[in-house]
Amino acid sequence: MTGNPSLLIDLQKITENTRVIVQKCALHNINVVAVTKSVCGDPGVGRAMLEGGAVALADARIKNIKRLRREGVRENLMLLRSPMISEIEDVVKYSSMSLNSEPEVLSRLSECASEHGIRHKVIIMIDVGEIREGILPADIFKVGEQIKNLKGIRIIGAGTNLACYSGVRPTNENMNLLLQTALELEGILGYRLKVISGGNSSSLEVIGSGAIPNGINQLRIGESILLGRYISNGEPIPGAHQDAVTLTAELIEMKEKPSLPVGETGKNVFGESVTAKELQIHYRGIAALGRQDVPPDSVFPASQGKKVHIDVIGATSDHMVLDFGEDARTYGVGSEIRFNLDYPGLLASMTSPYVNKVYV
Ligand SMILES: *Cc1c(COP(=O)(O)O)cnc(C)c1O
């Protein structure tokens, strides 16, 4: 489908971004599993990531994993979110491995895999401080004993996730706690774990700084591949593209207007009291884009060489108000505005049914 608004997805740039990150990780003996959850398991994007050297794809939702399989992706697919009991059968059928932290779920996975005559691979998640998913290191003996005899699963590794929910940074201490806990799990299981999965995009910026000790051999990377940036500081990754995915919207109004509303004001439809910045009379444009597509503070207008600085002032459900300053130059009704995105912007526009997805 074409038409505005649209997300332009540059598959070549996604491949190149993957390659840059894969090469950086390879220097430290780390494999990259590329994460497709922010693009709804888009098979084109997934293939571009594999082309760039990712060893497997991962997604948080089984629905996206099924989509990748349906579109013919045969490579290893990892389910990132602990399976719901109600989706165990699909997990066993469509994913190659899953991240897990609940003995009850592992026991169901084992049963179901046995019924299908296969062994489902699992990575045991350890919570080293982020307090989202994972077994606390203190509980590893108890849980290890509970799961070590499950015949339908093969425990191939241990992993952790950081900097998503609580924002805990990867450090030498918490990474060593993961390694130590993995060692204890190996002791209980009586065999070596092949995979130590140390985290997500947030780990990239500390590779080489000593925060990622030897032994961590896998990272699960989504955001940094798609945006070409480090996560905590938003800095561009050298050699990577920051515009692999951009959003285009079209202007439906352009007028010289005052910046302050006229009349008595109260709360707007979103329950906010808006305090407008006082500007000179300025060119004010409206793009056919709104909160049903993307949050207004997650889009960043690109100047496209027209030497006009465009600011996002705000948005309602379907209208985005933009400031073009004193001289809008060639911008007018019908002009297309290109936006760069941050992670929430990528997630929202990718999942909005109103935004067309265009591959270049
Ligand atoms: C989302 C997620 C990732 C990938 O995170 P990015 O910030 O996109 O790199 C990795 N692991 C788990 C468990 C996740 O939920």
Side-chain angles (χ1 to χ4, degrees), residues 299-321:
V299 293
F300 309 92
S303 74
Q304 296 166 272
K306 290 197 188 176
K307 297 194 171 70
V308 178
H309 181 81
I310 308 170
D311 268 329
V312 176
I313 300 177
T316 54
S317 317
D318 308 286
H319 295 77
M320 186 166 287
V321 183

Side-chain angles (χ1 to χ4, degrees), residues 35 37 80 99 132-133 161 200-201 220-223 343:
V35 175
K37 71 182 182 204
L80 292 170
L99 306 185
R132 201 179 74 177
E133 77 275 35
N161 198 53
N200 53 40
S201 292
R220 311 172 305 270
I221 311 275
E223 190 175 348
Y343 191 61

Side-chain angles (χ1 to χ4, degrees), residues 268-337:
N268 68 15
V269 289
F270 298 100
E272 304 160 343
S273 306
V274 172
T275 40
K277 251 198 315 188
E278 177 144 25
L279 306 166
Q280 303 293 342
I281 293 277
H282 65 144
Y283 280 91
R284 219 171 152 88
I286 298 175
L289 188 71
R291 295 189 196 217
Q292 301 204 75
D293 310 297
V294 72
D297 51 2
S298 287
V299 293
F300 309 92
S303 74
Q304 296 166 272
K306 290 197 188 176
K307 297 194 171 70
V308 178
H309 181 81
I310 308 170
D311 268 329
V312 176
I313 300 177
T316 54
S317 317
D318 308 286
H319 295 77
M320 186 166 287
V321 183
L322 304 169
D323 168 23
F324 287 80
E326 291 169 22
D327 183 356
R329 293 180 188 254
T330 54
Y331 283 108
V333 170
S335 297
E336 290 187 340
I337 311 287

Side-chain angles (χ1 to χ4, degrees), residues 31 44 50 58-59 61 68-69 71 89 100 107 115 153 155 197 220 232 244 250-251 279 283 289 314 343:
N31 285 323
L50 290 166
D59 204 289
R61 293 177 190 256
L68 287 161
R69 283 282 181 250
E71 304 277 343
E89 174 134 25
N100 283 272
S107 152
E115 280 165 23
I153 58 169
I155 300 168
S197 192
R220 311 172 305 270
S232 73
E250 188 175 319
L251 292 180
L279 306 166
Y283 280 91
L289 188 71
Y343 191 61

Side-chain angles (χ1 to χ4, degrees), residues 138-151:
D139 295 332
I140 196 65
F141 281 102
K142 192 179 79 200
V143 177
E145 288 297 335
Q146 281 174 284
I147 62 178
K148 72 174 185 187
N149 292 322
L150 295 171
K151 295 280 177 279

